[in-house]
Amino acid sequence: EDRTLEICRSIPDSRIRLHPKRDELAGLATSKNVGAQLALGDYIAYQDADDCAMPTRIERLLEESLKSPGRRVVSSWIEKVIGDKSTIFSPPTSHKEIVRGFRREFNRCTFVSGAMMLPRSIAQRFENRVKFKHQEDWDHLSRMYESGEVEFVNIAETLYRYFIRPKCSYMRKEANPYAYK
């Protein structure tokens, strides 16, 4: 049972604002776009409800983002959890090595968008395209990269725990060879 709503409502902090989904069928891309439009801060960090952030994640991402304000899109190493097995995914840290992966046909995953923080202005300028049912994050990253307006950086620390479910796109055989080793 997901108790996210109940937990959020129990936190006495005026910075936490709840916005009910307008359309349950809208999908992840629409939710991210609405969140970017409603955000009040200068930076946005994505967090899937079934994943887990390490306690210092937001602080570390923001610290790294502020080294190039308004331009830097930051993620980190992640712990991938599939069933009872856990591995650390440690993509390259520099922009040059990250975008080299974007241009490859196979083994392209050099940046985990689900764990990223980006300037709100960039999130608003490069909205997630709602026409994609799967891989909307890859499209989003590609368009940001092609613009030349952003710098991608991965922090060499495991700051995010990504729980991979049997039916998610990561597990689809037809998509997997293009993204991961």
Side-chain angles (χ1 to χ4, degrees):
E1 176 184 326
D2 184 355
R3 296 181 46 233
T4 304
L5 190 59
E6 176 187 341
I7 292 167
C8 288
R9 285 184 174 148
S10 74
I11 300 171
D13 188 328
S14 62
R15 295 173 298 176
I16 297 174
R17 299 174 301 133
L18 301 174
H19 297 276
K21 246 184 168 177
R22 297 177 189 149
D23 179 357
E24 289 302 319
L25 300 175
L28 186 58
T30 298
S31 294
K32 287 180 177 180
N33 292 341
V34 169
Q37 294 304 319
L38 294 171
L40 300 176
D42 293 332
Y43 290 86
I44 293 172
Y46 297 134
Q47 173 74 44
D48 287 349
D50 59 346
D51 294 338
C52 180
M54 304 308 170
T56 60
R57 174 181 172 235
I58 300 298
E59 176 184 358
R60 292 289 295 122
L61 292 175
L62 183 59
E63 182 180 278
E64 190 63 39
S65 294
L66 292 174
K67 290 180 181 177
S68 185
R71 176 171 159 58
R72 190 168 275 191
V73 178
V74 181
S75 192
S76 69
W77 291 359
I78 64 166
E79 179 183 1
K80 293 190 306 185
V81 181
I82 304 174
D84 61 353
K85 293 190 178 11
S86 171
T87 58
I88 301 299
F89 176 61
S90 50
T93 57
S94 74
H95 176 78
K96 182 179 178 180
E97 291 298 314
I98 291 167
V99 299
R100 182 176 290 152
F102 290 4
R103 295 187 299 262
R104 290 192 292 252
E105 183 176 352
F106 295 98
N107 191 24
R108 296 184 301 193
C109 189
T110 55
F111 194 84
V112 179
S113 66
M116 78 176 166
M117 175 180 280
L118 70 164
R120 179 175 48 123
S121 60
I122 290 175
Q124 290 174 338
R125 192 164 48 258
F126 297 96
E127 286 192 333
N128 289 271
R129 289 199 266 201
V130 299
K131 67 182 176 181
F132 291 104
K133 184 175 180 181
H134 301 289
Q135 306 292 326
E136 75 287 337
D137 53 348
W138 177 249
D139 171 70
H140 190 228
L141 291 175
S142 297
R143 288 184 294 113
M144 287 190 287
Y145 159 65
E146 290 168 356
S147 76
E149 296 178 35
V150 303
E151 174 189 12
F152 293 98
V153 175
N154 282 313
I155 297 173
E157 294 175 43
T158 305
L159 299 174
Y160 197 81
R161 187 172 294 131
Y162 177 44
F163 291 94
I164 300 169
R165 309 291 180 223
K167 292 184 179 182
C168 74
S169 62
Y170 175 88
M171 299 300 280
R172 289 181 25 239
K173 289 180 184 175
E174 67 274 15
N176 204 13
Y178 297 101
Y180 301 93
K181 291 180 185 177

